[in-house]
Amino acid sequence: MSENAKQQARNVLANLPTLLPDLESVYKDIHSHPELSMQEKRTAAIAADRLRSAGYAVTASVGKTGVVGILRNGEGPTIMLRADMDALPVRETTGLPYASSVTADENGKSVPVMHACGHDMHVAWLIGAATLLAQSRNEWRGTLMPLFQPAEETGAGAQAMIDDGLFRRFPKPSAILGQHVMVGTSGDISTRSGAITSAGDSLQIRMFGRGAHGSMPQASIDPVVMAAATVLRLQTIVSREIAPTDAAVVTVGSLQAGTKENVIPDEAIIKLNVRTFDEDVRKRVLAAIERIVNAEAEASRAPKKPEITLLDRYPLVKNDPEATKRAIGAFRSYFRADRVKDTQPTTASEDFGSFGTEWQVPSAFWFVGGTDPETYAKAKQSGTIADLPTNHNPRFAPVIHPTLGTGVEAMVVASQAWLSPQAD
Ligand SMILES: [Zn+2]
Ligand SMILES: [Zn+2]
């Protein structure tokens, strides 16, 4: 990033200290009013209001609760900035004064709801960046397109917006940018070129047997043994079929069969989750699962082929090398050099990747640390980083400062790497 472009980013961010108290109250308000996937009405209304008053043309209800803003500001590239809005069915135990005590309906059942993945922070970041850029239109040229998506946690939100005509109804961007709060020193930014979050596939496998009295195994086809053998054999995919230099996870998180010790049940249900970083490896793992499941059923004389159902699917988030280089270059010139770090790909999954992959637009995604710097340093020293509450933990609580300001700065600085007339 040139000196002039950096100065323009600084000019956009000059109003950040003035805006920050307001953003902090937006963040706390959203944190204490979390909404489950596809129920983000209140959050979407806040985002839409903020964009409108900043001067954006706003389209709401894209893919149910998604919000898209457009601000045209002369000739130049279109840049899409993405935030996700949904919370999780988790009971918050942070003890924060702005903690959530909200419950909501999930499939007819009342569940506690918490922003345990930090999407409240993402919404506040994007409101902040969109507001500051709209206030300083002399510092950039092009079209800014902030997008707030529903249902990241179920993997359905990005796709819902795409299915609702996102690509047809809005201008095709030159780049798509997104960021996520994570465990790490608050105020630090980390990213990498290539795969940054894994592809995720969740499957349900229903295996069929024949029920009988527990004392008469000869009359049964026991689905408990069938499923148990399957679970063990599935462990050999990663250890025996995937190269040690390739990474994959196959986790059977649920195995259910039967109700009583002396009744052989009719069927067993396995639920499993797969994480991979490469499309070929992903295909190999999924094919191996299908092969093993069918073969084990056959080995057990199952009366019917197992039923394999896809529960959800997250694409690989692959950072475009050119776009990522451009964003990192901007971060390195704006932030103190030691605040911008390289990261390994994480086995978390994200549907952010759908936008870039399906629209064929280069995208870049990065992490912003949200852990109190002193707490993180101590944990690092004592080798207990793994004990810090991660995303999805009921005690997940990013420190507001400097996390909130850093995310706004990162979004503005990265946008300016494209939108500043002096960018190249
Ligand atoms: Zn999450
Ligand atoms: Zn998340």
Side-chain angles (χ1 to χ4, degrees):
M1 194 185 221
S2 71
E3 268 314 303
N4 288 343
K6 185 162 84 176
Q7 190 51 48
Q8 286 190 306
R10 285 193 201 288
N11 294 346
V12 174
L13 287 163
N15 284 332
L16 176 59
T18 321
L19 180 67
L20 212 49
D22 173 41
L23 275 188
E24 179 172 340
S25 55
V26 171
Y27 169 70
K28 288 178 175 169
D29 176 50
I30 297 175
H31 186 86
S32 49
H33 296 91
E35 296 171 298
L36 289 177
S37 307
M38 287 297 176
Q39 301 180 19
E40 310 89 339
K41 287 206 177 87
R42 184 180 185 277
T43 314
I46 293 172
D49 275 357
R50 291 284 174 151
L51 288 183
R52 243 177 244 118
S53 43
Y56 288 78
V58 175
T59 312
S61 310
V62 183
K64 201 160 182 192
T65 63
V67 174
V68 182
I70 293 282
L71 185 62
R72 292 182 203 275
N73 189 30
E75 279 295 307
T78 296
I79 299 299
M80 175 178 139
L81 310 177
R82 174 269 202 178
D84 41 10
M85 301 187 284
D86 55 330
L88 287 157
V90 170
R91 188 182 309 279
E92 178 159 1
T93 60
T94 59
L96 291 167
Y98 51 92
S100 155
S101 53
V102 167
T103 56
D105 179 84
E106 188 187 48
N107 308 321
K109 209 172 71 193
S110 170
V111 293
V113 189
M114 173 192 177
H115 266 297
C117 201
H119 299 182
D120 46 354
M121 187 63 80
H122 306 171
V123 173
W125 283 341
L126 186 48
I127 288 174
T131 306
L132 293 175
L133 282 158
Q135 283 170 355
S136 34
R137 291 178 214 183
N138 289 332
E139 309 297 339
W140 59 278
R141 288 282 167 274
T143 299
L144 200 61
M145 179 172 157
L147 176 147
F148 297 83
Q149 77 153 75
E152 187 283 324
E153 295 293 356
T154 57
Q159 198 57 51
M161 293 189 80
I162 293 168
D163 293 344
D164 199 10
L166 183 75
F167 302 166
R168 191 170 31 79
R169 295 162 67 186
F170 301 96
K172 182 171 179 164
S174 302
I176 299 177
L177 308 176
Q179 52 183 355
H180 205 301
V181 62
M182 281 277 190
V183 170
T185 306
S186 171
D188 281 4
I189 291 172
S190 55
T191 188
R192 74 189 301 272
S193 185
I196 179 146
T197 66
S198 62
D201 292 270
S202 295
L203 305 175
Q204 174 179 291
I205 296 154
R206 213 168 141 201
M207 303 192 90
F208 302 100
R210 188 166 68 220
H213 195 285
S215 66
M216 298 169 193
Q218 74 281 13
S220 81
I221 295 172
D222 191 343
V224 174
V225 176
M226 193 191 304
T230 306
V231 170
L232 286 182
R233 185 92 199 177
L234 288 171
Q235 309 306 313
T236 65
I237 299 174
V238 174
S239 69
R240 305 288 83 190
E241 296 193 41
I242 300 299
T245 44
D246 285 328
V249 178
V250 177
T251 292
V252 176
S254 169
L255 169 57
Q256 289 174 334
T259 50
K260 204 172 181 308
E261 72 287 353
N262 64 350
V263 178
I264 297 171
D266 254 345
E267 59 176 60
I269 291 180
I270 295 171
K271 288 185 189 169
L272 61 81
N273 182 257
V274 177
R275 304 288 169 128
T276 50
F277 294 99
D278 176 275
E279 188 53 28
D280 288 341
V281 175
R282 173 176 173 266
K283 280 190 187 138
R284 191 128 39 99
V285 171
L286 293 177
I289 290 171
E290 197 180 328
R291 189 192 73 237
I292 289 169
V293 165
N294 286 326
E296 286 292 349
E298 210 182 318
S300 303
R301 296 178 292 134
K304 235 187 351 173
K305 265 185 98 164
E307 225 176 68
I308 304 179
T309 326
L310 183 71
L311 296 176
D312 61 46
R313 169 165 189 215
Y314 289 84
L316 184 69
V317 176
K318 225 173 174 176
N319 275 341
D320 176 79
E322 278 306 308
T324 310
K325 207 171 119 194
R326 195 184 268 242
I328 292 176
F331 293 152
R332 291 238 154 96
S333 80
Y334 177 86
F335 293 105
R336 224 179 49 219
D338 65 339
R339 288 177 61 192
V340 186
K341 301 193 158 88
D342 273 336
T343 184
Q344 290 297 311
T346 135
T347 47
S349 293
E350 253 290 340
D351 67 356
F352 171 79
S354 298
F355 295 113
T357 311
E358 293 183 41
W359 214 347
Q360 293 177 331
V361 172
S363 64
F365 194 72
W366 60 88
F367 303 123
V368 177
T371 315
D372 171 60
E374 207 176 306
T375 310
Y376 191 79
K378 271 190 198 151
K380 197 168 178 186
Q381 212 171 23
S382 57
T384 53
I385 285 177
D387 298 341
L388 295 172
T390 61
N391 303 59
H392 292 207
N393 182 295
R395 289 183 298 119
F396 181 71
V399 291
I400 297 183
H401 302 295
T403 315
L404 182 56
T406 301
V408 176
E409 288 176 285
M411 222 23 152
V412 166
V413 168
S415 305
Q416 284 295 77
W418 277 266
L419 295 174
S420 163
Q422 322 267 350
D424 296 310

